[in-house]
Amino acid sequence: MDAAPTERRLPPATELGMASIALVAIGVIYLASYLPRHAPLGPAIGFLAAAAAVLVANAVLLSRQREFAWWRFFQVARWTLLAYVVIAGMLEYMFIYDHTRGSLLALLTLLLTTFTLNVPILLAFTVARFQDPDSRDPAAEAAAGGSARA
């Protein structure tokens, strides 16, 4: 009888990331539904707090993984974060250009930041989960100054 290989148990990072993004989307849609009038900020603050809590929980659960291809995770996360910071910067400019001010601007900025941090975690986890944790990328090691294994 062949014993089935044991599958690594990974945290539900994808599910938590999507839940956080959904909470951000609900908060933004709620605020946008009141435009051009001023929206009551309480519900949106609640959605932001919930989204941020799920994001932090996701990061904590991921950080506890020992058998994980962290080198690949950070390789993907860095470039994705760079792209999403540029996108978030353009959206933030749009908020300011449209004369969004005060607490509404602060709340939209925090919601946008939460979204911007979620996407790189989701993409990097999705790639790294299928990578062998014991393998190393020779090109990445060489770029980091280490010696490449044959």
Side-chain angles (χ1 to χ4, degrees):
M1 290 182 121
D2 288 327
T6 59
E7 188 171 323
R8 294 180 293 156
R9 288 207 29 101
L10 295 171
T14 305
E15 293 84 354
L16 290 173
M18 290 310 298
S20 182
I21 287 175
L23 289 164
V24 167
I26 293 168
V28 170
I29 291 168
Y30 169 79
L31 291 173
S33 70
Y34 278 90
L35 292 176
R37 300 182 325 264
H38 184 71
L41 300 181
I45 291 170
F47 289 123
L48 171 63
V54 172
L55 173 64
V56 168
N58 199 8
V60 167
L61 288 173
L62 269 175
S63 70
R64 298 174 131 192
Q65 298 302 304
R66 293 194 189 274
E67 296 288 321
F68 194 65
W70 285 109
W71 64 273
R72 181 67 75 194
F73 179 89
F74 288 115
Q75 181 185 40
V76 173
R78 255 182 302 187
W79 289 107
T80 307
L81 183 61
L82 176 64
Y84 272 82
V85 164
V86 170
I87 293 167
M90 290 188 287
L91 289 170
E92 188 70 21
Y93 174 77
M94 180 201 63
F95 295 153
I96 293 167
Y97 185 79
D98 284 344
H99 304 291
T100 306
R101 301 272 186 259
S103 56
L104 181 59
L105 177 62
L107 190 54
L108 285 171
T109 300
L110 291 172
L111 286 164
L112 180 60
T113 301
T114 305
F115 176 80
T116 301
L117 293 174
N118 261 302
V119 175
I121 292 173
L122 279 170
L123 290 175
F125 174 77
T126 303
V127 172
R129 75 179 299 168
F130 295 110
Q131 183 75 41
D132 180 17
D134 296 327
S135 71
R136 290 306 251 186
D137 182 12
E141 284 186 6
S147 62
R149 288 194 282 190

